[in-house]
Amino acid sequence: MPSAIKKGTVMPAGASAHYDVFSVRGLYTGLSDGWTYLNAHAVPQISERVASGVARSFRMSTAVATQEGPDGAHSATPAPGRLEGDGNYTAARMAVADLTGSKADRVVLGPSLPVLYQSLAHAARPLLGSNSSVVLSKLDPPSLYSAFSEVKAETRWAQPDLGTGELPGFQFAELVDGSTRLVAFSAAHELLGTVSPAAEIIDTVHERSRAWTLLDVSAIAPYRPINFDDLGADILGLDLGLLGGPQLAALVFRDTRMFRRLDALDPVHTGKGARKLETPISSGLAGGVGPLVDHLAGLAGGESGSRRKRLRTSMDALSVYLEDLRSDLYSFLSTLPAVHILGVTGEAAAGASDDRLPRLTFAVKGVPAETVYKRLFDNGLVTTLAPQTPLLTEMGVEEIGGAVTVALGPFNTYHDVEHLIRVVASLA
């Protein structure tokens, strides 16, 4: 059991910014209701900046954009009759580009990541013929990999380790060959917190084929800075709602020349750009993407420098702070003998990697998950019952009576972790 509440300010090594969690908590007005939210994997808290940005976007999207005078610096834009809402799409693409270290003309917006994956599978038909293959991962949510279930290409499966919940990278050397045209997998598991060896996998893919790599970074983006070039993937998938933003998603491509090889989904946009893959989204929701990225850049990013620079500084500081919290969360839960942490506890998980996100799924031996969840809720702790996914079922979750998932957010404190441990200990 932790003995005392630690300070809420962390100074990352080599960084000038510090992370003040108590100031960050003030950015989320929803936290004033007294509940302790540990469900960031499913329902992230929405900051006041994002909520206000979306409200303004919906309110102003139908208004005519302000016209500069003839001597203004931007007198040529916007075009006469242009509505405020039209600019939200451009601003959203720029925000996603800053978030991922890319460029706005490589960003494809969509209503959700499954829809974007389906759009990509449809548009990539020229690449995925009967003589080709795709490699998908059983670590991913079925809603993502099912998008490629109807392509003509042969489907090959990368299997997770059922003891650790990790995605072994060595298997891709056998799965990928000259016929492979697409390899899709997630950078981390949304419920277990396991982090995939993305760099190792992508290097293997590129050494053995000309395949595109599609990497879902939705689970890892709330905790660590994302840099497109460092990851090495050809396409990134990102669910903005899981970052505490509007219910939208994005695909980010390595190069605009990739669009030339894809079919257009909309006969109106048949050019060579990103819009050929987009499906209609609300301009009001799109107006919340910029405020989301501004919010993340302001967590500990200071007031000077570009948004990309402030974002990198902020996410570095957040990563250090939450890594400390993650260590306590895993360490103290592991000391409770009746607690089983999926992928961590037991002989089958021996040798599991320490590279994990500040989220986990656990069960209490002899206590149904519903009972654990209710006890936590009765003590003001908001978690979720782990869903019955194919992976969790194979890992034996149903056999032990279900499990509960906990995920930390940028506003969680050491006191929150202590409170969780005390309540679980009362059951264990």
Side-chain angles (χ1 to χ4, degrees):
M1 291 285 290
S3 58
I5 301 175
K6 302 178 183 179
K7 294 181 180 179
T9 301
V10 171
M11 181 76 74
S16 58
H18 68 274
Y19 192 82
D20 184 351
V21 68
F22 301 110
S23 295
V24 169
R25 289 179 63 83
L27 304 177
Y28 296 86
T29 55
L31 299 180
S32 60
D33 59 7
W35 293 94
T36 298
Y37 290 98
L38 300 173
N39 60 343
H41 63 290
V43 188
Q45 292 297 297
I46 298 175
S47 71
E48 180 61 27
R49 191 167 196 166
V50 173
S52 298
V54 170
R56 183 191 181 282
S57 297
F58 272 106
R59 185 173 61 249
M60 299 297 296
S61 61
T62 58
V64 174
T66 302
Q67 302 291 305
E68 295 282 353
D71 296 327
H74 304 284
S75 57
T77 58
R82 184 169 181 260
L83 301 180
E84 286 280 355
D86 296 336
N88 292 340
Y89 302 111
T90 300
R93 295 187 190 97
M94 293 175 63
V96 172
D98 282 343
L99 185 62
T100 58
S102 184
K103 295 183 179 179
D105 60 354
R106 304 173 187 177
V107 176
V108 177
L109 300 175
S112 70
L113 207 53
V115 168
L116 283 173
Y117 271 44
Q118 291 168 7
S119 298
L120 179 62
H122 182 80
R125 286 181 299 179
L127 302 176
L128 307 179
S130 56
N131 295 325
S132 63
S133 64
V134 297
V135 178
L136 307 177
S137 167
K138 288 290 187 178
L139 188 74
D140 294 4
S143 60
L144 290 187
Y145 63 64
S146 63
F148 299 97
S149 61
E150 297 183 0
V151 298
K152 294 181 179 179
E154 174 193 357
T155 301
R156 301 170 183 173
W157 292 100
Q159 301 290 344
D161 186 306
L162 298 182
T164 63
E166 299 170 1
L167 185 66
F170 65 83
Q171 62 187 311
F172 286 84
E174 299 178 357
L175 295 169
V176 177
D177 58 28
S179 71
T180 307
R181 294 294 177 264
L182 178 72
V183 178
F185 65 100
S186 296
H189 192 273
E190 57 183 344
L191 304 177
L192 303 177
T194 53
V195 177
S196 302
E200 174 191 344
I201 294 172
I202 291 171
D203 285 345
T204 299
V205 172
H206 288 165
E207 287 172 1
R208 300 181 61 83
S209 73
R210 295 178 297 151
W212 288 355
T213 51
L214 170 58
L215 181 64
D216 174 19
V217 295
S218 301
I220 207 168
Y223 304 112
R224 301 179 183 182
I226 301 297
N227 187 291
F228 200 110
D229 291 338
D230 291 346
L231 290 171
D234 297 292
I235 311 170
L236 297 184
L238 179 61
D239 186 329
L240 297 166
L242 294 180
L243 281 164
Q247 297 300 309
L248 296 175
L251 294 179
V252 186
F253 285 70
R254 170 178 46 81
D255 195 314
T256 55
R257 288 175 294 182
M258 297 171 68
F259 296 123
R260 301 175 185 174
R261 304 183 63 186
L262 300 173
D263 285 343
L265 300 180
D266 184 348
V268 176
H269 301 292
T270 57
K272 301 176 182 179
R275 294 195 66 183
K276 68 190 299 183
L277 294 182
E278 289 189 340
T279 52
I281 60 173
S282 162
S283 66
L285 291 178
V289 180
L292 167 66
V293 178
D294 289 336
H295 163 73
L296 294 174
L299 293 177
E303 299 296 331
S304 60
S306 67
R307 180 167 61 182
R308 175 60 186 170
K309 179 180 179 181
R310 289 182 287 112
L311 184 67
R312 187 63 185 257
T313 301
S314 181
M315 294 306 293
D316 280 339
L318 172 63
S319 180
V320 171
Y321 172 73
L322 285 180
E323 175 59 24
D324 203 14
L325 235 59
R326 183 206 66 84
S327 179
D328 280 0
L329 175 64
Y330 275 82
S331 297
F332 295 128
L333 265 184
S334 297
T335 62
L336 302 177
V339 171
H340 176 78
I341 302 175
L342 271 70
V344 175
T345 307
E347 295 182 4
S353 172
D354 290 332
D355 187 11
R356 290 177 176 264
L357 303 180
R359 55 177 62 175
L360 53 78
T361 296
F362 74 96
V364 179
K365 297 175 184 177
V367 183
E370 290 83 356
T371 302
V372 177
Y373 170 79
K374 188 176 185 304
R375 175 68 66 86
L376 294 170
F377 190 80
D378 289 344
N379 284 270
L381 294 158
V382 182
T383 59
T384 67
L385 289 168
Q388 294 182 1
T389 67
L391 175 59
L392 295 189
T393 297
E394 290 188 38
M395 294 182 73
V397 166
E398 295 176 23
E399 298 175 7
I400 58 177
V404 172
T405 301
V406 170
L408 304 181
F411 49 80
N412 285 122
T413 67
Y414 294 97
H415 173 76
D416 297 340
V417 174
E418 289 181 333
H419 187 27
L420 171 70
I421 303 303
R422 282 194 294 268
V423 177
V424 175
S426 70
L427 287 165

